[in-house]
Amino acid sequence: MASETFVVAYDGTDRTVVDYAARRAEASGAALCLVHVLQWSPYSFLTPQELDERRMRRRQELERAKTALVDPIVAELQASGLTVEGEIRFGSPTTVILEVARDRGACQIFVGRTGKSGIENKIFGSVTLGLAQAATIPTVIVP
Amino acid sequence: MRPVSRCLSPLVALALLVGTARAQEEAAAGNTATVDAMVDGIVGPVTKPFVDFIFAAIPGTDLPWIVLWLITAAAIFTVYFGFVQFRMVPHAIQLVRGHYTSPEAAGEVTHFQALATAVSGTVGLGNIAGVAVAVSIGGPGATFWMILSGLLGMASKFTECTLGVKYRTEYDDGRVSGGPMHYLKKGMAEIGHTTLGKVLAVCFAVCCVLASWGGGNMFQANQAHAQLVVITGGEASFLADRGWITGLVMAVVVFLVIVGGIKSIARVTEKLVPFMGILYLGAALIVILANIDQLGTAFAEIFEGAFTGLGVAGGLVGALIQGLRRATFSNEAGIGSAAIAHSAVQTKHPVTEGFVSMLEPFIDTVIICTATALVITISGVLQQDPATGLYVWDEAAGQIATANNLSGVELTSAAFGSRITWFPYVLGVAVVLFAFSTMISWSYYGVKAWCFLFGDTYVSELIYKVLFCLFVVLGAAVSLGAVLDFSDASLFAMGIFNIVGLYFLMPIVKREMTSYMAKLRAGQIPKYAGTSTAAGKA
C-alpha cells in the first residue's frame, strides 16, 4: 500500500505530465490518481433537444473518456508496476482537481502547461494557473 | 461566434442577392405585394372557422369561453395547492441555485438548465408584440389582468410541470421524453381512465402540432419581419410588403438547424437570448427610470383602466380579455408546452421541477410583459384626449389611436424609440433572436407531438420539419390579423385537453407535494453547498 498519493491532472492529450509524475511516483513509492475532467457547467444553456438527450450524451462522454483516454494509460502504468487509479468527473476542471486531491488526501498535484491557444487562456484563465493559485498542496507544473 | 458567422454570412449574402434581384424585377413589373395578398387570402378563410370556435364568447357576454376556462383552472389550482406560487418561490430559487442538487449528478440536466430552456422558449414575441396588442386594444388596464393571469398561471405551470417529470418516458439509451402526451396517457391510465387519457393525449398532440406552426412559428416570423421592416426604413424599405423574403431567410436557417442538424446556430442563439432578455429589460428600466415621475400615473392608469377601461371600447371586459389572452399567449400557463421542456431535469422528486417552473410565468409575464406595458404607457405613443384623460379610440383600426396606425411590435419599437432613438435597431436583433429561439423550441415540441401521432420515424419527422419551414415563410408573408388569430387559437386549443387532464391528475400532484414538504420539513432532503463547485463521480 502506497503511503502517499499524487494527483495528476490529465487533459487527454498531454502525456509529458503523466510520464513525469509516473517517474516521481516510482522514485518515491507513491500512488497515482489520474484525473480527467469533462468540462461541464450546471448553468450552461441547452436546447430542448439537448435537454432530452443529456443523459444519453453524458453516458457516451463518460464511456469515451474511459475507454479512449483514461483506461489505456492506467493499464499501461499499472503494467509497469505502479499503483494507479483513474477518475473521470464532470465539472469545472480546477475545482474538480482540487476536490479529488482533498478527498484522496493527496500530497502533490501534477499538471501540464496547457496546450490550448493563448487567447482562450488569457480570457478565461487556464487550469494550470488556477491550480497554481488555489491549491493548498505543492503543485508541480510540468512544461 | 465563429461558427455562426460562418453559417450565416452566405445566407445573408444570398438573402440580399435574392432581395435586390426580386425588388428590381417587381419594380419593373409593378406587382408588389401580390404574393403577400394571395397568401393572406388563402390562410384567412381556411383558419376562420377554427378561430371562431376557440374564441366564441360566452352567451350574453363578450368574454371568450377559452379565456375563462384557462383562468378558472389557474384559480382552482392556486386554491387547491394552497397558494403554492407565493409560498414556495424562495425554495424554488434555492433549487435553481443548486442547493439541493447532489454533486453526484454533475453532467445531468440541472433545474437551472431546464428553467433557462423553458424560459427562452416562452420569452418571445408574445412579450414584445403581444403586450403591445393587449395595451393598444385593451388600454393600460390590460396590464393589470396580465399580471394577475401571470401570478395565477404559476399554479397551472406547477401542476403540469410536476406531472411532466413524473410521467416522462426514459428510454434505455438514456434519452428522456415528457410532456402532456405522456402524462395524459400514462397518468390517466394509472387512475383507471385509459381510453379518456388516450383521447386527450391525441387531441392535445394534434393541437400542439397546429400551435407549433401557428403561435410558435408564424406569429414569430410575422413579427420579426415587421420589426425588420421598421429598422430598414419603414414603408420605403425594400422588405416592406415582401414578407416572403424574411420568411425565406428564416426558413432556411431554421431548416439548417432542425433538418441539417447544425447545432452551433441553435447553441449560439440559446446563449444570446438570455443576454438579449437582460438587455431588453435594462432598456425598459432606463426608459422607466428616466420618466420616473410618470411611473405613478402609469400605475394609476393600469389600475384605473383595469376596472373602467379609460375610454377603451369594451371597457373593463375589453381590458380583461386582452390582458388575459395575451398573458396566456406569452407565458403558456395551462397550455402544456412547458411540461415538455421541463421534463428532462435530473431530480428524485418531480415536484421540485414544479416549484422551479413557477418562476417561468413570473419572469415572463410579471416582469418582462409588465416592463413592456409600462414603457408603452409611459412613452405616450397611445393617443390620449388631453381634456378628459381618456384614450382616443380608432374605430377603423379597432384599437387606441397611435401615430401612423402602429400595432404589434412596431408600437413597442416606437415606444422605446421615442426615448432611446437607437433602440429599435437593438430591438430588431433581439426580436429576430427571440423569434428564432422560440421557433427552435416549438419545432421540437411540435415534432414530439407529431411523432406521438404518426410514429417516430425519420421520414415522418422530416415531413413535419419541412412543413414547419414552409409555415415560417407563410407566417412572415401574411398580415398580422389572420396570423395572430390562428396562432392564438391553436395555442389555446392545447389548453382545452391539457387542463381536463390536469383536473383528473391534480390529486397526484398534491400527494407528491405533501410528501415532499413533509420530508423537507423533517430535514430528509439533503442540502448541498451549491453546484458551482459540484462534480459528480464517474
Side-chain angles (χ1 to χ4, degrees), chain B residues 138 141-142 145 304-310 312-322:
Chain B
W145 300 109
E304 211 188 320
F307 300 100
T308 64
L310 286 171
V312 170
L316 188 161
V317 179
L320 182 120
I321 294 173
Q322 284 305 322

Side-chain angles (χ1 to χ4, degrees), chain B residues 16 19-20 23 26 32-33 36 224-243 245-246 410:
Chain B
L16 288 176
T20 342
E26 277 187 349
T32 317
D36 290 6
H225 170 69
Q227 181 61 14
L228 286 178
V229 170
V230 169
I231 59 171
T232 50
E235 283 175 16
S237 162
F238 75 96
L239 282 174
D241 290 325
R242 290 196 191 87
I245 297 177
T246 315
E410 297 148 292

Side-chain angles (χ1 to χ4, degrees), chain B residues 190-217:
Chain B
E190 206 177 276
I191 52 171
H193 296 288
T194 315
T195 318
L196 178 62
K198 269 186 199 153
V199 172
L200 288 174
V202 168
C203 293
F204 173 86
V206 171
C207 293
C208 184
V209 168
L210 289 177
S212 75
W213 287 333
N217 180 345

